[in-house]
Amino acid sequence: MKRRTKQREIILATLSGANGPLTAEELWQQARAQSNNLGKATVYRNLRLLVQEEDVQEVHLPNESTRFEAKFTGHRHYFYCEKCKNISFIQATCPVAALDGVTLPSGYKIRSHSLMFYGLCVECD
Ligand SMILES: [Zn+2]
Ligand SMILES: [Zn+2]
């Protein structure tokens, strides 16, 4: 039985409702909007536990500090706004299937990939 505290519920709900993976700082800012007395240390501690329990997963993007998103088993890509630096999920069919048959040195196999799109979000355009 996993322990479910109010704080964890808020953290999970915040991550599930976000339109992109959040840094711990962003998560705290948004979670605090829902529960004013939610301290930064509390959010960080619960976040670590949620990662250990695999309800939350870390997202490592090139040149970015670690971000977090609610457990997600599919495969998706990200959009980076060059102005506000927000990262959002992109809901689209993976375009990489088009690279099938890409030539690799003999014996190499691709297991995964990550793709980041860069541009301006709707608020910055
Ligand atoms: Zn933007
Ligand atoms: Zn893909």
Side-chain angles (χ1 to χ4, degrees), residues 8-108:
R8 286 200 223 181
E9 294 297 342
I10 293 173
I11 290 169
L12 276 176
T14 304
L15 285 175
S16 303
N19 64 356
L22 303 176
T23 63
E25 172 79 21
E26 288 168 345
L27 171 65
W28 173 56
Q29 298 285 357
Q30 293 186 23
R32 204 170 49 155
Q34 295 180 55
S35 176
N36 237 330
N37 51 10
L38 208 52
K40 194 170 188 170
T42 305
V43 169
Y44 281 43
R45 188 178 62 245
N46 281 289
L47 187 55
R48 268 197 306 275
L49 290 169
L50 285 165
V51 170
Q52 277 170 23
E53 292 168 3
E54 298 180 336
D55 286 328
V56 169
Q57 56 201 31
E58 295 185 345
V59 182
H60 301 280
L61 298 165
N63 307 318
E64 286 295 315
S65 50
T66 304
R67 286 168 182 265
F68 302 88
E69 64 187 25
K71 187 187 172 77
F72 178 75
T73 49
H75 167 73
R76 62 183 164 198
H77 304 116
Y78 301 93
F79 181 90
Y80 180 90
C81 176
E82 292 168 318
K83 194 164 171 195
C84 69
K85 320 281 189 226
N86 272 327
I87 296 178
S88 35
F89 302 124
I90 291 187
Q91 316 293 350
T93 316
C94 179
V96 175
L99 295 177
D100 261 0
V102 64
T103 310
L104 287 169
S106 165
Y108 283 49

